Every structure is written in C-alpha cells, then in structure tokens.
Amino acid sequence: MKTTHQRAHASRRGSALALALMIVTIVALLSAMMLQLSSAHWRREAGAVDQKRAFYIAEAGLSEAIYGLLQGNSGIVGTQELPVRFGDGVFWTQAESDAQDIVHIESTALCGQARAKLAIAIELYYDNALNLGAFSGRNMTIGAGAYIDAYNSKNGPYSAPLPGAMLYRATVGSNGDVSVGGLRGLVPTTILGNVTPGPDKSVSVALGGNVVGNTSPRADSVELPLITIPAASWFGPMTVSPAGTGLLPSGTYAGPNMTIGTNATGTIVGPAIVVVDSLHLAGSARLRVDSSVGPVEIYVSQAMTTTALSSIVNVTGDPRGLSLWLDMSTRTGGVLSFAHQGAFHGSIYAPRADVAIAANAPVYGSVVAGGLTLAPGAQFHIDVSAGDLGSTDMSLSVLHWRPVAVPREIAGDLRYEPLADFAARGVALPAPGAGHVPIDMAVEYTRDDGEVRTFRGTEEAFDRSVVDAVIEEVVQPPVRTENRVGERRSWAAIDDPVTAKLKPVKGERGMGPRDDDDDDD
C-alpha cells in the first residue's frame, strides 16, 4: 500500500511540473508575442516619425533651392552623391527651366529609412525692367531691314553670332502688337530671338522678315514701374559752351539742365549720378562717359533732345556702364528721337515716353519705353547683362506643388541610413547654405520625351543621359543680383557687393559754376 501511495504522489508531482512548464511556455510565448507586437508598433511609429521628418526636410530643400534662385544661383543644392545635412536627415535638389521659362525644382530627402520627394514649379519675375531687352509698353514697330540679336557684355565686346550658333536669344516684346518689316532693298529684317506681343495681341511679319524664335503672346501685360529719382546734391546748371570742354568728376549732382553746346565735349567720370530736368545735345556735341571705375546713371525728369551728328560715347564700350532713366511723359513732349551719331552703349528706361532708334545709331544694351520704334535699317544688339544695373529684386509665383514618386533605386534599399553611412566613411556633409551650385553653364536641350528644358548649373551636375539633342550650350559666370538704382558704386561693388565698400566721393565743380544761392537747399 505504501508503495502504491508513493507512486501516486510522484505522478501528481510530475503532472504539476508539466502543467507549470506548459504555463511558463505559454507566458513566454505571450511575452514574446507582446514584445514583437510592441517592437513592430515602435518601428511603425519610428518609421512614421522619420517619414514626416523626410517630408519636411524635402520641403526645406525646396525653400533652399528657391532662395538660391533668388540669389542668382542655379537652384541646385547638393547632389545624390554628396547631399547636404539638415536636422536628422539629408536632401538634394535639382532645378531646370522649360521652354516657357518655368523653373521645375525637385527635392529628395532621406531620414533614417524614410524617403520623400517633392516637386514645385515656379515662375520668376524680375523687377528690373532692363531685363526686358527691347520692350514697348504699347505697340512696337520694327522697320524693314532692321537687325536684332543678343550678346553678353560680361564675356567681352560684341561679336556677331556665327551662322547656326546663336548663343543668346534676343528678347523683344510689348504690351501691344508688334509689326516687323520685310526687305529693305535686298536686306531682310532679322530678329534672332523671341518676339512676344501683349495678351491677345499678335506679331505681323512682312514678306522678307525673319523671326528666329517664338511669337506667342504673353499671358499678362508687363507693368513698367515708374522711376524713383534719387536724392542728389544740388550743383546748378551743367553747361558746356560751344566748342568748349567740361568735366564732372565722380559724384552725385542735381541741376535744372545739362546742355552740351555745338562742337563741345562734356565728360562724366563714373561712378556718378546726375539728376537734371532736361538734357540737350546740340549739333556735333559729344557727351563722353568714362565708366572704367564705375557706372554712370543719368536721370532726366522733363525732356531730352539730341540733334544731328551729336553723340553719347561710352568710352569703355560696356553697356552696363551707362543708363539713362527718362521720367518724361508723352503728355509733356516726352518723345526721344534718338538722332545719335555712331554706336550707343548703354540702357534707356523711359516707361512713359516714346523712343525712336535711328538707322545710324546702333544700340548695344537695352531699351524699355512706353512706345518703341526702330527705323528701317536700325541695329539693336541686346545685352543680356543690362539688368545688372538698377533694381534686380525678384519675386515668384508658384504654379504647382506636389509629392512625386521616389526613384526605385533610392526607395528600395531601406537598410541604408545616410547619416550613419557618411559618418562611417568619414565624410562631412555640408550645411544647406554651403551646398548651393552656382551657374557656370546653361544648356538648352530636348529630352528623350521631346520636352525642351534648360539646365543652369555646373558641368558635373548636368545629367547628359536624359539628353536627346542639345539645342544651345553657353558657358557663363555666376549672376549676381544685389544691385540697386540710385546708389553710386564702383565696378568692384557691383561684382562683389558684399565685400566691396565704396567710400563717398564729394562732388566738385565741373561743367558750369555752382549756384551758390542754393547751397542751403
């Protein structure tokens, strides 16, 4: 009996151990399952946080690219091989322009194992109207046999484009209709660039006329801002007697008029600002502008007249060295018939006046006027750098914003964490401000899908694998935009306005005596 009882007791202890072991196993399995669920939930939460971070980093990339565009850079920030670091992730951007000059920016961001990509399309507006090239606020007339092309004075003096090698497109436009003449004898009217009429307006080209570019109308009219006359020290009348000479050293001057008599020569040395009510050049008079140190800006508030054989000579031949700001109105006789002898290197801005360019006065620069007429046989060589003078503030309009698919080769490798990878390789990622790619080349090309795009950046950043055919390729220096109207400055200040410090130069007596009665004004 005792043996049987012991056996039963041992059997009960074995059953209890098995039950306990089963319970422990179940609890362990439940704990493992809870741990796995908790870990999966944590990974999902961490992944969601990283995905939001990647999204916001991509948005920051778009903002940084747009800032770069407004500063004159390409809009490209970093590259896939060397992105920029932002917060807990990295990003890089790409920027291209299409045939309508709409800038398309794509920003790709990586944060942990999350990826995001955003795209935006913007249209940039330059407040500096000198960028318009040849523009008329009303209808424009281009006479028979006229010739219009474009060049960049930053790259040196003008040289005629070779056949089939148009490096720069002329920008010709108006808020009204544009009439293009035909043959003048055997010489055809030639415009190497786009002619853009106003909204719902058109371009009429006579037989023999040739426009190498687009003639579609613009969507909205261009508002020509009124001129702000800068403050200048009163100097009095600035007059050079017939057959005499006169000099205005670098400085700021204001007076009722500037008159250069018959066969006389007046010289203005830049940097200088001259503000007058009227400017008159008598027969065979010469107004010389020496812009070798800095540009010369002349503001005329009422009237400007040039007579036969008179001339305005920019001795450096650089159109950026001379700008005429004509605030006169057609209601007060504000019509400038540019009876100029020889070439004119400079820019004319007359938003309320009519300007007529004669055949014997080839223009190198920019002319923007309330009304613009080119005489038969006139020549106009538009300087694409003319906008470096004056206000070059830039605004933009957002056309669309949208998320886009992340490329498969980037989205597929979820094990790749960029910050850890670059840290392991000892690579220091640049900050966003140091990752901007400047402009040193521009390529207009056709993509594989037939779309025309323009890339602006460095040779290394240009992906030629998507190019079907190159239309035009230009090498150019970075563009700076930090210049303003009415601030007398040297060329050093224009080329590098951040580091150059221009000390004021006091005005001295030059053309004509000072009106001492007005010293206290």
Side-chain angles (χ1 to χ4, degrees):
M1 295 292 294
K2 185 175 181 180
T3 304
T4 303
H5 177 75
Q6 289 177 342
R7 289 177 178 174
H9 182 70
S11 176
R12 285 195 299 271
R13 285 189 300 175
S15 298
L17 288 173
L19 180 60
L21 181 60
M22 182 181 300
I23 292 173
V24 170
T25 302
I26 292 173
V27 171
L29 290 174
L30 290 175
S31 299
M33 291 175 60
M34 291 298 295
L35 182 61
Q36 188 174 7
L37 289 174
S38 176
S39 178
H41 178 73
W42 180 84
R43 285 196 300 268
R44 285 196 300 269
E45 289 293 326
V49 170
D50 281 348
Q51 192 61 46
K52 287 184 179 179
R53 287 175 175 171
F55 178 87
Y56 292 130
I57 291 172
E59 277 198 325
L62 292 180
S63 298
E64 191 70 31
I66 293 173
Y67 174 78
L69 285 171
L70 296 178
Q71 297 302 309
N73 289 315
S74 63
I76 300 172
V77 184
T79 63
Q80 182 175 344
E81 293 73 22
L82 185 64
V84 299
R85 179 168 184 168
F86 187 85
D88 294 329
V90 300
F91 73 80
W92 67 90
T93 68
Q94 282 289 338
E96 290 185 320
S97 303
D98 61 19
Q100 286 73 45
D101 290 331
I102 296 173
V103 183
H104 300 266
I105 305 173
E106 292 184 346
S107 175
T108 305
L110 285 65
C111 182
Q113 296 179 348
R115 285 87 173 95
K117 188 172 184 178
L118 301 176
I120 194 172
I122 63 174
E123 190 170 6
L124 295 174
Y125 298 93
Y126 293 87
D127 293 338
N128 182 3
L130 294 181
N131 284 300
L132 294 171
F135 187 85
S136 174
R138 296 179 287 276
N139 293 339
M140 176 187 288
T141 300
I142 300 173
Y147 179 85
I148 303 176
D149 63 3
Y151 77 112
N152 190 340
S153 64
K154 286 184 176 180
N155 296 337
Y158 168 81
S159 60
L162 299 175
M166 185 173 59
L167 295 181
Y168 299 95
R169 290 180 179 271
T171 53
V172 180
S174 76
N175 284 331
D177 296 314
V178 179
S179 175
V180 180
L183 292 172
R184 185 186 186 214
L186 298 178
V187 179
T189 303
T190 302
I191 302 176
L192 301 182
N194 300 328
V195 179
T196 307
D200 301 322
K201 302 298 182 178
S202 62
V203 177
S204 61
V205 183
L207 182 64
N210 183 25
V211 176
V212 184
N214 192 358
T215 58
S216 300
R218 66 181 73 252
D220 300 301
S221 296
V222 175
E223 181 179 355
L224 299 180
L226 297 179
I227 296 173
T228 300
I229 303 294
S233 303
W234 184 258
F235 187 77
M238 290 164 266
T239 303
V240 181
S241 302
T245 59
L247 173 68
L248 280 179
S250 174
T252 59
Y253 305 90
N257 56 66
M258 176 181 286
T259 301
I260 312 298
T262 304
N263 293 317
T265 299
T267 300
I268 303 176
V269 178
I273 295 173
V274 179
V275 179
V276 293
D277 294 334
S278 62
L279 173 61
H280 175 68
L281 273 64
S284 300
R286 295 180 73 220
L287 175 59
R288 294 180 71 255
V289 172
D290 184 354
S291 60
S292 56
V293 177
V296 172
E297 299 180 21
I298 301 175
Y299 292 81
V300 180
S301 61
Q302 293 182 9
M304 175 178 174
T305 56
T306 59
T307 54
L309 301 181
S310 63
S311 60
I312 301 177
V313 181
N314 184 349
V315 296
T316 65
D318 186 347
R320 298 181 302 153
L322 172 62
S323 56
L324 300 177
W325 304 88
L326 310 182
D327 197 35
M328 54 199 193
S329 169
T330 53
R331 295 182 180 179
T332 58
V335 177
L336 173 60
S337 180
F338 209 48
H340 190 274
Q341 179 66 30
F344 173 79
H345 295 83
S347 296
I348 300 174
Y349 183 66
R352 301 189 297 165
D354 290 338
V355 176
I357 305 299
N360 61 344
V363 174
Y364 299 79
S366 173
V367 177
V368 178
L372 181 58
T373 300
L374 272 68
Q379 297 185 37
F380 201 143
H381 310 290
I382 296 172
D383 179 15
V384 299
S385 296
D388 283 5
L389 292 180
S391 174
T392 52
D393 292 337
M394 196 182 301
S395 56
L396 60 90
S397 174
V398 177
L399 303 181
H400 72 71
W401 174 99
R402 58 189 174 90
V404 294
V406 179
R408 182 177 302 177
E409 66 273 11
I410 298 175
D413 188 5
L414 296 180
R415 297 171 299 175
Y416 173 73
E417 295 190 6
L419 292 183
D421 177 76
F422 283 106
R425 290 189 283 143
V427 178
L429 297 178
H436 286 271
V437 175
I439 298 174
D440 61 10
M441 66 174 294
V443 180
E444 186 178 7
Y445 66 95
T446 305
R447 291 163 52 102
D448 296 335
D449 56 7
E451 185 178 358
V452 177
R453 289 288 185 95
T454 300
F455 168 85
R456 295 179 176 89
T458 62
E459 173 69 27
E460 294 77 12
F462 181 46
D463 183 8
R464 294 186 180 272
S465 64
V466 298
V467 177
D468 180 63
V470 173
I471 301 173
E472 184 177 342
E473 184 168 341
V474 180
V475 177
Q476 55 187 11
V479 178
R480 291 187 178 271
T481 62
E482 302 91 338
N483 300 311
R484 297 292 182 266
V485 167
E487 295 181 5
R488 181 165 54 92
R489 55 201 185 274
S490 68
W491 284 120
I494 290 177
D495 292 337
D496 194 347
V498 177
T499 59
K501 304 296 182 182
L502 177 64
K503 296 181 179 179
V505 179
K506 295 182 178 181
E508 301 177 2
R509 296 176 183 269
M511 287 187 275
R514 177 186 292 271
D515 189 349
D516 295 329
D517 294 336
D518 294 326
D519 282 347
D520 298 331
D521 290 353

